[in-house]
Amino acid sequence: MTSNDIQIRLAENLKRFRKERKLTQFQLAEKAGISDETIKNIELCKTWTSEKTLAQITEVLDIDVAVLFLPVQSSFELDSKVTAQIKSAIGENIMKYVESVLEEVYAK
């Protein structure tokens, strides 16, 4: 995966979440305290953004920053090998989390 792929995911996900909340680029920018040009440039893959800006955006959208970098459905449909790797990684992380929760519960 290249940095361009990650930037495309960020752009697609930002646009999708913004539209789900029925916000224009200007409205999102205004609520986040940033310029609408910043939102436009992120969605057009013209620029990377700072952690601070991402935090401001995700606060307004009420999402965790990580979801902006998750693969979109079209990514799953294009490459079944990548899909299998992603599903495996997600499964492993879920299992580790469940194991840690169980250890914590039984330690009490």
Side-chain angles (χ1 to χ4, degrees):
M1 176 174 293
T2 67
S3 64
N4 188 51
D5 294 331
I6 295 168
Q7 192 172 17
I8 290 169
R9 276 188 190 172
L10 171 62
E12 290 175 342
N13 285 325
L14 175 59
K15 188 174 187 175
R16 179 172 52 91
F17 283 111
R18 176 180 60 78
K19 287 186 172 194
E20 283 176 2
R21 282 148 182 82
K22 296 179 176 40
L23 294 171
T24 65
Q25 290 176 342
F26 179 79
Q27 290 168 326
L28 175 57
E30 188 174 62
K31 289 178 184 235
I34 57 178
S35 73
D36 57 326
E37 195 69 24
T38 298
I39 301 295
K40 177 182 171 185
N41 286 333
I42 295 169
E43 289 186 3
L44 292 175
C45 297
K46 289 187 175 184
T47 187
W48 274 104
T49 189
S50 69
E51 292 172 12
K52 179 182 177 187
T53 301
L54 281 177
Q56 290 168 283
I57 291 169
T58 56
E59 185 175 327
V60 171
L61 295 175
D62 193 30
I63 57 173
D64 189 281
V65 70
V67 300
L68 288 177
F69 297 96
L70 292 175
V72 292
Q73 184 62 32
S74 61
S75 300
F76 288 118
E77 294 165 357
L78 294 176
D79 191 342
S80 61
K81 183 179 178 183
V82 171
T83 300
Q85 291 172 335
I86 291 169
K87 286 180 179 179
S88 176
I90 290 170
E92 288 174 21
N93 283 320
I94 290 172
M95 288 300 295
K96 287 178 186 176
Y97 175 73
V98 169
E99 287 171 2
S100 70
V101 169
L102 289 174
E103 286 175 10
E104 189 177 309
V105 167
Y106 289 114
K108 293 179 179 181

